[in-house]
Amino acid sequence: MSAFASHDSATKQSAGVAITAEEIAETGGRAPEAVAQYALRLGDDALMLSQRLGWWISRAPELEEDIALGNIALDLIGHARFLLTYAGSAWGKTEDELAYFRNEEEFRSVRLVEQENGDFGQTIARQLLFSFYQYELYSALQSSTDQTLAAIADKALKEVEYHQDHAAQWILRLGLGTEESKRRIQDGLYYMWPYLDELFADEPLHDELEGIVVRPSTLRERTLERVTALLAEAELEVPNVAQARLSAAPRDGAYSEYRGYILAEMQWLARQHPGATW
């Protein structure tokens, strides 16, 4: 992992020798097919959630939250840039080509990150579940034998530490606040909870990449242990609801009804003017 170091924001350039998407592209290395498919999954998760969070800019309940959620969205875009650049190296595609010129069924994001923002409580519930999962994911991925994946995880983890702290503080503030704030965050948890299983679903891909990637099922116990402890502190219920049905194979391109709307907003300019630069 000595080729990269981690500093500052993940969005583009950073101080010193920090890893950037440009740096990954310039190495000329090519990700093996299976590694590229894995990186694509993680990159799509980050990209979809960044688009969801960007909607809150100018709409958050206070100015500070406009900035906070906007910064989290930018961090996630940075993670997506790293991962899609690395994935694209296997197929001769750029990060922009993967982001803007794939159709709905070609993305591999989990349904949790595609769910509607709803009210602020619903968005924070989604942030709680995903950031706590992502923290455990990147913590484990730092030990990958793939140097690039390990470097991406090392850098992203420092930002995800803030993401989960931000979500945790709001869970406590809303859960221990007014009767209305408690109701809304509890409702948000019930809305998002059915999409947890998909985060932890193993695939044959993980068998093929043993030691290189993180098996999702190994993250379940620690993630849920930490989430439930926080909910108890906030005096909130752990939802007892059925999980949304998974398709026959996890991450096989099945998607929520919301993905198309997210992509339509994100992709229209690039598709209207393909190849344009400014």
Side-chain angles (χ1 to χ4, degrees), residues 3 26 53 95 101 122 125 140 146 149 170 173 245-247 250 276:
E26 288 167 4
L53 291 177
E95 58 181 281
F101 296 100
Q122 187 165 304
D146 183 290
L149 285 178
W170 272 110
R173 184 174 174 183
R245 185 173 61 86
L246 292 173
S247 56

Side-chain angles (χ1 to χ4, degrees), residues 9 13 33 45 67 96-97 99 124 133 175 190 210 216 228 238 260 274:
S9 172
Q13 298 288 349
E33 173 67 25
D45 285 347
I67 297 169
D96 285 349
E97 288 172 321
I124 291 300
Y133 151 79
Y190 269 92
E210 190 72 40
T228 54
V238 175

Side-chain angles (χ1 to χ4, degrees), residues 8 54 73 174 188 233-234:
D8 305 327
L174 297 172
E233 186 179 352

Side-chain angles (χ1 to χ4, degrees), residues 233-263:
E233 186 179 352
E235 300 178 5
L236 293 166
E237 299 174 3
V238 175
N240 182 17
V241 292
Q243 289 294 296
R245 185 173 61 86
L246 292 173
S247 56
R251 307 260 194 176
D252 65 353
Y255 50 91
S256 74
E257 63 269 34
Y258 306 117
R259 182 184 291 174
Y261 296 103
I262 297 171
L263 294 180

Side-chain angles (χ1 to χ4, degrees), residues 4-257:
F4 305 116
S6 297
H7 308 284
D8 305 327
S9 172
T11 53
K12 187 173 173 66
Q13 298 288 349
S14 299
V17 291
I19 183 175
T20 66
E22 291 81 6
E23 190 175 30
I24 293 172
E26 288 167 4
T27 63
R30 184 171 180 174
E33 173 67 25
V35 172
Q37 290 291 346
Y38 180 76
L40 188 72
R41 285 153 167 71
L42 304 190
D44 285 350
D45 285 347
L47 182 62
M48 288 294 181
L49 186 54
S50 72
Q51 299 305 305
R52 278 304 197 197
L53 291 177
W55 179 89
W56 279 102
I57 297 173
S58 81
R59 297 181 174 94
E62 57 191 33
L63 181 59
E64 187 175 358
E65 274 307 297
D66 276 1
I67 297 169
L69 292 175
N71 282 337
I72 293 171
L74 285 172
D75 283 341
L76 290 167
I77 287 175
H79 304 170
R81 294 192 66 220
F82 299 153
L83 291 158
L84 295 184
T85 295
Y86 191 39
S89 69
W91 311 306
K93 293 183 179 294
T94 67
E95 58 181 281
D96 285 349
E97 288 172 321
L98 290 177
Y100 296 132
F101 296 100
R102 280 183 295 156
N103 296 324
E104 291 169 272
E105 69 278 5
E106 296 175 289
F107 280 78
R108 293 295 179 264
S109 47
V110 292
R111 287 174 291 174
L112 176 67
V113 298
E114 299 169 2
Q115 295 307 300
E116 291 184 299
N117 285 323
D119 64 15
F120 187 69
Q122 187 165 304
T123 288
I124 291 300
R126 185 183 58 206
Q127 280 303 105
L128 169 72
L129 300 180
F130 190 75
S131 64
F132 273 53
Y133 151 79
Q134 202 176 44
Y135 177 83
E136 299 300 331
L137 168 66
Y138 286 143
S139 294
L141 196 58
Q142 288 180 108
S143 301
S144 172
T145 56
D146 183 290
Q147 185 181 39
T148 302
L149 285 178
I152 292 170
D154 180 63
K155 182 170 180 59
L157 182 63
K158 293 172 174 58
E159 291 143 2
V160 173
E161 287 175 349
Y162 164 70
H163 301 176
Q164 68 170 1
D165 182 66
H166 175 268
Q169 293 304 314
W170 272 110
I171 290 288
L172 292 169
R173 184 174 174 183
L174 297 172
L176 300 174
T178 66
E179 182 178 336
E180 179 66 7
S181 71
K182 187 182 188 73
R183 181 188 69 79
R184 286 180 180 245
I185 189 59
Q186 189 71 72
D187 286 350
L189 288 165
Y190 269 92
Y191 181 92
M192 295 296 175
W193 205 266
Y195 302 99
L196 268 178
D197 271 4
E198 196 170 15
L199 292 175
F200 306 114
D202 292 339
E203 302 178 69
L205 180 71
H206 302 116
D207 297 329
E208 184 179 347
L209 296 174
E210 190 72 40
I212 297 175
V213 305
V214 178
R215 187 178 293 277
S217 60
T218 65
L219 305 176
R220 177 190 288 272
E221 182 177 359
R222 179 60 178 158
T223 301
L224 294 183
E225 179 183 276
R226 295 176 62 236
V227 167
T228 54
L230 178 64
L231 296 184
E233 186 179 352
E235 300 178 5
L236 293 166
E237 299 174 3
V238 175
N240 182 17
V241 292
Q243 289 294 296
R245 185 173 61 86
L246 292 173
S247 56
R251 307 260 194 176
D252 65 353
Y255 50 91
S256 74
E257 63 269 34

